[in-house]
Amino acid sequence: MEFNSREMWAVIHGLILGTLFLLAFAGGLAGLWSLRPGFMTTAGIKERMGRLYVGAWVMAAASWAAVITGTWIVYPWYRVKLAPVGEDAYAGCVDAILPNTSCSPRDFLKSNVSGSTETWHAFGMEWKEHVTWAAPILATAAAFLIAYYGPRLIARPWLRAAVIVMFVGAFAAAVVGGAFGAFLNKVAPIV
Amino acid sequence: MNTRFATDTKHDVEVAPELAGLNLVDKPDGPAAAAMLSAGIGIFMLGFFTTGAVISASLKSFLAWWEWGQGVGPLAGKSTVAVIIWLVSWAVLYFVWKDKDVDLKKMFYIGLGLGLLGALGMFPPFFELFHS
């Protein structure tokens, strides 16, 4: 039972960093949501804020690590053109049922040799590869705001709501990436 | 009751007595406004470059130059240049506003608007409209 190098990087990018991001998001959102007047004692605020700072920065760090590994390590394996032979852009994909050494995942999806798959690339991958870069930007800005204001957010409900909007925005961008990443890895796995 | 927050000049302050024991000093909103607005700028640039690369072959070539032979294509430039613009705009706005109280709501909504435009620019059914 083993992973090759590419499978291992796909696991690190999607499963490990994605799970870390989700865990940090869930904890961070719960912490932010409960930063309300009258909910905690002074001692409780001190204890809660420490975890919130860690959760927010872990979420930001996980999202940076996910987009950097995804873009610079996994994505080139997805998009490399292996199939063209002469004028035929997808000659290497003939009779393929999955991507292989002569048909990259992008070649495979665009060739439609195994059903109607082109939209997985044209919509799914094209959306995922771009919008996920919004996640670390929003997560970092939200972590900065949480660290900058700290417990002061308790007394400022509008500001807390604004931070939650940014926090959830980062999550939404990551969901697009994570969901399409999982689907694409089913339809056209990295080989 | 902690009167610091009750008399705070910030328009959205509520009274939170439990903060009294923490002896918090007030902080200017400028750095937060810088973080909000620059995040919107960064996401807007991601959308701008995504749609721009569909419209302009020369912009697409410029963005692909940033891949440094790694096979990433134009995504390398879209993400790297947008992140650089985000960080530079954040740093500039931070130093300009670090000791000031800026209208936080205004900057948040401007940032949100820029972010939504950026999200539109990265949505395939939108940028494919410009494919020739």
Side-chain angles (χ1 to χ4, degrees):
Chain A
M1 194 167 71
E2 62 182 351
F3 289 119
N4 64 31
S5 168
R6 294 186 176 195
E7 290 165 341
M8 181 56 76
W9 275 111
V11 167
I12 291 169
H13 163 67
L15 194 63
I16 296 175
L17 293 171
T19 302
L20 193 61
F21 178 90
L22 283 176
L23 285 171
F25 169 76
L29 183 63
L32 270 175
W33 191 262
S34 63
L35 283 183
R36 294 161 179 253
F39 271 37
M40 287 179 284
T41 62
T42 302
I45 293 169
K46 288 179 180 174
E47 188 271 342
R48 178 69 58 86
M49 291 312 298
R51 272 187 289 140
L52 184 54
Y53 295 146
V54 171
W57 285 114
V58 165
M59 178 172 149
S63 58
W64 279 112
V67 296
I68 290 169
T69 56
T71 298
W72 290 92
I73 297 175
V74 180
Y75 181 59
W77 297 329
Y78 168 87
R79 77 183 292 273
V80 63
K81 289 181 179 174
L82 299 174
V85 176
E87 295 291 309
D88 187 349
Y90 304 113
C93 296
V94 173
D95 296 331
I97 55 171
L98 282 174
N100 54 56
T101 52
S102 64
C103 179
S104 71
R106 184 169 76 168
D107 291 334
F108 177 77
L109 293 175
K110 292 181 76 174
S111 68
N112 287 325
V113 293
S114 182
S116 179
T117 54
E118 189 176 9
T119 306
W120 281 112
H121 170 78
F123 181 77
M125 190 64 194
E126 290 281 3
W127 195 19
K128 161 192 163 63
E129 73 188 46
H130 295 109
V131 80
T132 44
W133 275 92
I137 292 175
L138 286 169
T140 304
F144 171 81
L145 292 169
I146 291 166
Y148 181 72
Y149 285 108
R152 296 169 188 81
L153 288 169
I154 293 172
R156 304 185 65 180
W158 178 85
L159 179 56
R160 188 179 64 248
V163 175
I164 289 174
V165 167
M166 297 171 76
F167 213 68
V168 172
F171 174 72
V175 162
V176 173
F180 276 109
F183 294 148
L184 284 159
N185 204 40
K186 278 284 186 189
V187 180
I190 300 287
V191 291
Chain B
M1 179 177 287
N2 178 5
T3 55
R4 177 181 12 247
F5 287 94
T7 57
D8 195 317
T9 55
K10 311 275 191 313
H11 44 85
D12 56 358
V13 166
E14 276 187 357
V15 175
E18 63 270 36
L19 296 180
L22 297 174
N23 296 315
L24 301 171
V25 294
D26 199 12
K27 283 190 168 185
D29 282 339
M36 291 174 171
L37 182 56
S38 62
I41 291 170
I43 296 168
F44 174 79
M45 293 313 299
L46 283 170
F48 174 80
F49 287 137
T50 303
T51 298
V54 174
I55 297 170
S56 166
S58 57
L59 177 61
K60 187 176 180 180
S61 297
F62 166 74
L63 295 168
W65 174 82
W66 289 79
E67 71 163 10
W68 303 105
Q70 297 301 305
V72 180
L75 179 61
K78 294 171 194 173
S79 54
T80 304
V81 179
V83 167
I84 290 170
I85 291 171
W86 164 60
L87 289 173
V88 169
S89 68
W90 190 356
V92 170
L93 291 169
Y94 178 88
F95 284 106
V96 171
W97 289 342
K98 66 179 178 178
D99 298 318
K100 295 178 181 171
D101 267 329
V102 178
D103 187 338
L104 207 51
K105 285 187 177 178
K106 184 178 177 183
M107 292 306 140
F108 173 77
Y109 287 119
I110 292 173
L112 181 64
L114 287 169
L116 291 173
L117 284 172
L120 178 66
M122 289 183 276
F123 192 55
F126 175 77
F127 66 70
E128 287 297 335
L129 292 174
F130 299 93
H131 235 135
S132 55

